[in-house]
Amino acid sequence: AGVTPRCIVDGESGSKNEGILSEESQDVFRDLKGRLKRTNLFFVGMMGSGKSTVAARVASGLQYRLLDTDSIIETVTNRSISEIFAQDGEKAFRELE
């Protein structure tokens, strides 16, 4: 109540800038939020396909909490995903995942 949904949008320079959702987008998210009734959403896809970007936008629009597996792994291991792949291989990453 009284909270304006916000979304991350790409700036012209490629940097991330916070922007307010259009009225139409707000309507779509309100409708979707009512239909989902707090159902958990999972984004699955190929590496680099934009899952984290889309998930952040959807979470923002629906006012959902976002848990990004890659971010959690990086925090727990104190290493980037690319470091894990380079040093330990894909199999080790998949086990952490």
Side-chain angles (χ1 to χ4, degrees), residues 10-24:
D10 291 329
E12 288 181 20
S13 66
S15 64
K16 301 290 183 184
N17 296 311
E18 190 175 29
I20 298 174
L21 292 172
S22 69
E23 190 63 42
E24 182 180 8

Side-chain angles (χ1 to χ4, degrees), residues 22-90:
S22 69
E23 190 63 42
E24 182 180 8
S25 293
Q26 290 181 41
D27 290 343
V28 168
F29 279 120
R30 268 192 292 275
D31 178 59
L32 189 55
K33 190 175 181 179
R35 292 171 186 250
L36 288 171
K37 298 179 179 147
R38 301 302 298 170
T39 300
N40 291 327
L41 302 175
F42 300 87
F43 292 86
V44 179
M46 297 297 293
M47 194 176 353
S49 64
K51 297 177 298 292
S52 295
T53 300
V54 171
R57 291 178 180 180
V58 171
S60 175
L62 293 175
Q63 298 174 332
Y64 269 37
R65 179 178 54 165
L66 174 64
L67 299 174
D68 184 322
T69 306
D70 286 355
S71 295
I72 294 168
I73 290 171
E74 288 178 336
T75 299
V76 169
T77 63
N78 201 31
R79 297 190 292 166
S80 70
I81 299 302
S82 55
E83 287 174 325
I84 295 169
F85 266 84
Q87 295 169 8
D88 304 331
E90 181 178 357

